[in-house]
Amino acid sequence: SASSSTSAQRSTSATGKGPARLLRSVRETRFRREIDMSKDPKMYSFKAPEYEVEFIFDPRYASPHIQDRIGSDGYGMTDARYLDTSDPSVRMLRKVVTLTRDEILMLGKRDR
């Protein structure tokens, strides 16, 4: 993931029942790669009332031109809200968002 300003996009399946895809991989503040979660409802059953979604930017996996700016261990990252220094070998950006089952399935909302 990128920064906290990145907005996630979700859509419903063709039947309108449940999420059609989970989007990942950010580029230019937009998600580009998709996983169609409606193809495997046994794996993605969403039975629990709440889920935690974790967004992490680990500079060790960033492209070299990004590492040139922030360092391969993230020493150049200073975001006060999302900086995670729990691993002494790297500084990462981390944000955890709690979503309800209804939010994930977009119950009661129309697809835009």
Side-chain angles (χ1 to χ4, degrees), residues 9 14 16 24-25 30-31 41 57 64 69 74-75 77 89 95 101 112:
Q9 298 175 353
R24 63 182 187 114
S25 185
R30 298 279 182 185
F31 289 94
F57 174 75
R69 288 184 169 232
Y75 65 84
M77 295 192 301
S89 67
K95 170 73 176 164
R101 179 182 184 277
R112 294 180 191 199

Side-chain angles (χ1 to χ4, degrees), residues 40-93:
D40 194 352
K42 288 183 181 180
M43 181 164 196
Y44 304 108
S45 61
F46 297 111
K47 292 182 181 179
E50 288 186 338
Y51 293 87
E52 284 188 342
V53 180
E54 185 176 38
F55 298 93
I56 297 175
F57 174 75
D58 185 334
R60 295 176 291 190
Y61 299 101
S63 57
H65 74 281
I66 300 296
Q67 289 182 351
D68 285 346
R69 288 184 169 232
I70 61 172
S72 60
D73 61 357
Y75 65 84
M77 295 192 301
T78 59
D79 189 293
R81 294 173 296 174
Y82 305 113
L83 187 62
D84 182 348
T85 58
S86 60
D87 178 350
S89 67
V90 67
R91 295 165 60 106
M92 297 184 288
L93 297 179

Side-chain angles (χ1 to χ4, degrees), residues 8-12 21 23 99-100 103-106 111:
Q9 298 175 353
R10 293 177 288 183
S11 66
T12 57
R21 47 194 173 212
L23 305 170
L99 298 173
T100 66
E103 288 172 323
I104 293 170
L105 298 177
M106 295 178 65
D111 201 17

Side-chain angles (χ1 to χ4, degrees), residues 2-46:
S3 69
S4 63
S5 65
T6 302
S7 61
Q9 298 175 353
R10 293 177 288 183
S11 66
T12 57
S13 64
T15 62
K17 298 177 182 175
R21 47 194 173 212
L22 171 67
L23 305 170
R24 63 182 187 114
S25 185
V26 180
R27 188 176 300 237
E28 298 174 13
T29 71
R30 298 279 182 185
F31 289 94
R32 300 288 183 209
R33 295 190 185 125
E34 301 175 1
I35 299 171
D36 188 346
M37 298 170 76
S38 66
K39 289 184 178 179
D40 194 352
K42 288 183 181 180
M43 181 164 196
Y44 304 108
S45 61
F46 297 111

